[in-house]
Amino acid sequence: MKLSSFGYPTKDSIALFIAIVVSLILFFSNSSVRVREVQADVSDIINIVLSPQKWYKDILNVKKQNQILTETVTQLTLLNQQLLHYEFENKQLREMLNFSEDIPLSLKPANVVNHHFASSVQSITIDVGKNDQLVQNLAVIDLKGLLGKTISIGENASTVQLISDKNFRVSVRVGESRILGIFHPTQGEYGVISGIPKSANISIGSKVVTSGISDIYPSNIPVAEVIAINIEDVEVFQNVVVKLSATLHNLGYVFVIQ
Amino acid sequence: MKTKLYLKFFGLLIVTAILQVIFPSISIKSILLKPDLFLLFLTYIALRYGRFSSVLFGFCLGFIQDITTQIELLGAFSFIKSITGYLLGSIFDYERIWSKQIRWLVIVGIYFVHFSIYYFIQLNGSLTTFLVGTMLVSIHATINLAFLFLMNKFIFNSKLV
């Protein structure tokens, strides 16, 4: 609109404005089909003219939405990680419950609070002790098999000598023929079974379980699995190499057999 | 003095309206074309009396044209004629600055704008193609320009534009 030298609209512009407004009111107040078609076309034209503005607004919205979504994705990723952890924990606990139901033993669940693999005695610390009626020399197992035995008991915590400790021994039975032998740890998760006569028929993959002769360990607790057998002429016994059933690394939950 | 002027305008308006009605039409693509004498009258008002008068006359002429020719699109001609009157009135404001050629060029442009808006409304919803529409705008504008040229030459002795 043209402005006068004082910045106000001129009378020409005002007259034009009034004329246009009156004309448009007259035109669009008519409800005929042709007027509606013109109205639709005018709307289309306005839409086309305003499309860059709309596009720009859309871009800004997309940018803002992208930022919000990125934040949401990050939050959900963190939440997902937490849920995965819960799922894993839940699965482990369910397996533990099933395991405890299968074996008719009194099991005391415990959390592993510390590891001592580098000390003179390979051990772990668990968060149960005298207050939980624990005493020395109780067998400790995990989901898969024998893990060790309690060696010192505190009020609320206990130390467990691991099966991988060099001084650890346990009487075992090997295979279906249940031949008696003694388990000795060697390195890491491996060990040997001594005292197996050459005549004993055992094979690779045979299960090694506690014999039950000891006062400490109940019978039939999984200990290891045979992975190699060496028979030498000069030796009296077979050299049976086994791999431990229990998982020594990444220990989280254990059971104390009371 | 003013009464005389109003009477002159009123007389011219009556003559224009009668001529507009009785003027023979030519048919192009089944559309009847005849020179828009109201537009010529508006051009005369704009070039002689300036923008304000031409806007008012444009609206009035358009309104009369709406009532007499197409009541269905009431308001269309008054809208077009108001804008055209405003644009033509600019020539009056810049008469001393613009040369004759520029003034004619501006009139050509304004006539094309006038008929473009007119045919945009008139042909809306019909199956007429854009090419035919453009042709109609061009022919109608040319006819009107020819009439303006003749009017300027023989009635106003080339002093109107």
Side-chain angles (χ1 to χ4, degrees), chain A residues 1 6 15 19 44 57 103 108 143 163 173 179 229 258:
Chain A
M1 193 174 279
F6 297 105
D44 286 346
K57 277 183 179 173
I103 300 172
K108 183 77 189 171
L143 292 171
I163 193 171
R173 291 184 184 275
I179 310 295
I229 301 161
Q258 287 179 306

Side-chain angles (χ1 to χ4, degrees), chain B residues 137-152:
Chain B
V137 169
S138 306
I139 292 169
H140 215 154
T142 309
I143 290 170
N144 257 64
L145 283 166
F147 270 83
L148 181 67
F149 181 79
L150 293 172
M151 199 171 83
N152 181 47

Side-chain angles (χ1 to χ4, degrees), chain A:
Chain A
M1 193 174 279
K2 192 178 175 185
L3 300 177
S4 67
S5 53
F6 297 105
Y8 298 107
T10 60
K11 64 174 185 177
D12 306 349
S13 307
I14 294 169
L16 176 70
F17 179 74
I18 293 168
I20 286 175
V21 168
V22 173
S23 304
L24 291 177
I25 288 169
L26 283 173
F27 187 75
F28 288 117
S29 61
N30 199 332
S31 57
S32 74
V33 179
R34 289 178 68 188
V35 171
R36 295 282 162 248
E37 284 169 353
V38 171
Q39 210 169 1
D41 276 5
V42 169
S43 299
D44 286 346
I45 291 167
I46 290 169
N47 198 32
I48 291 165
V49 170
L50 293 179
S51 60
Q53 189 194 9
K54 189 174 173 289
W55 176 81
Y56 184 68
K57 277 183 179 173
D58 284 349
I59 291 286
L60 286 179
N61 278 340
V62 165
K63 200 176 171 185
K64 204 171 181 179
Q65 276 182 341
N66 190 37
Q67 200 176 352
I68 292 166
L69 287 173
T70 308
E71 284 173 15
T72 311
V73 164
T74 310
Q75 283 173 352
L76 287 175
T77 307
L78 290 171
L79 186 66
N80 199 33
Q81 286 297 322
Q82 204 173 4
L83 290 173
L84 282 171
H85 173 70
Y86 287 150
E87 188 194 8
F88 176 73
E89 201 174 50
N90 190 32
K91 200 175 171 184
Q92 270 195 325
L93 291 170
R94 278 174 181 276
E95 283 178 14
M96 280 180 176
L97 285 171
N98 290 337
F99 188 68
S100 63
E101 282 166 9
D102 290 345
I103 300 172
L105 297 170
S106 173
L107 299 175
K108 183 77 189 171
N111 288 307
V112 177
V113 294
N114 206 357
H115 300 80
H116 310 282
F117 290 110
S119 63
S120 57
V121 178
Q122 283 198 14
S123 60
I124 54 172
T125 305
I126 55 176
D127 63 350
V128 287
K130 282 178 186 168
N131 291 342
D132 303 286
Q133 286 80 47
L134 251 61
V135 292
Q136 268 194 334
N137 292 325
L138 291 175
V140 179
I141 58 172
D142 73 351
L143 292 171
K144 293 177 180 173
L146 185 66
L147 200 64
K149 66 175 182 182
T150 54
I151 52 172
S152 63
I153 312 296
E155 294 296 322
N156 294 307
S158 307
T159 306
V160 176
Q161 182 190 19
L162 288 173
I163 193 171
S164 56
D165 183 62
K166 61 184 179 185
N167 296 314
F168 194 93
R169 300 288 184 273
V170 60
S171 171
V172 293
R173 291 184 184 275
V174 183
E176 291 178 358
S177 51
R178 297 179 68 77
I179 310 295
L180 271 172
I182 302 291
F183 168 82
H184 307 253
T186 51
Q187 184 65 41
E189 57 185 354
Y190 299 99
V192 292
I193 309 295
S194 62
I196 306 290
K198 280 184 181 176
S199 57
N201 183 24
I202 56 169
S203 57
I204 292 171
S206 296
K207 301 292 180 191
V208 179
V209 295
T210 49
S211 64
I213 294 171
S214 158
D215 292 334
I216 302 172
Y217 309 104
S219 60
N220 295 324
I221 295 172
V223 176
E225 186 180 314
V226 178
I227 56 168
I229 301 161
N230 295 315
I231 301 172
E232 291 180 16
D233 294 338
V234 293
E235 297 285 340
V236 182
F237 300 106
Q238 292 185 36
N239 183 21
V240 180
V241 181
V242 295
K243 187 181 178 187
L244 291 172
S245 299
T247 310
L248 292 174
H249 59 275
N250 198 24
L251 286 169
Y253 306 94
V254 296
F255 292 102
V256 181
I257 300 172
Q258 287 179 306

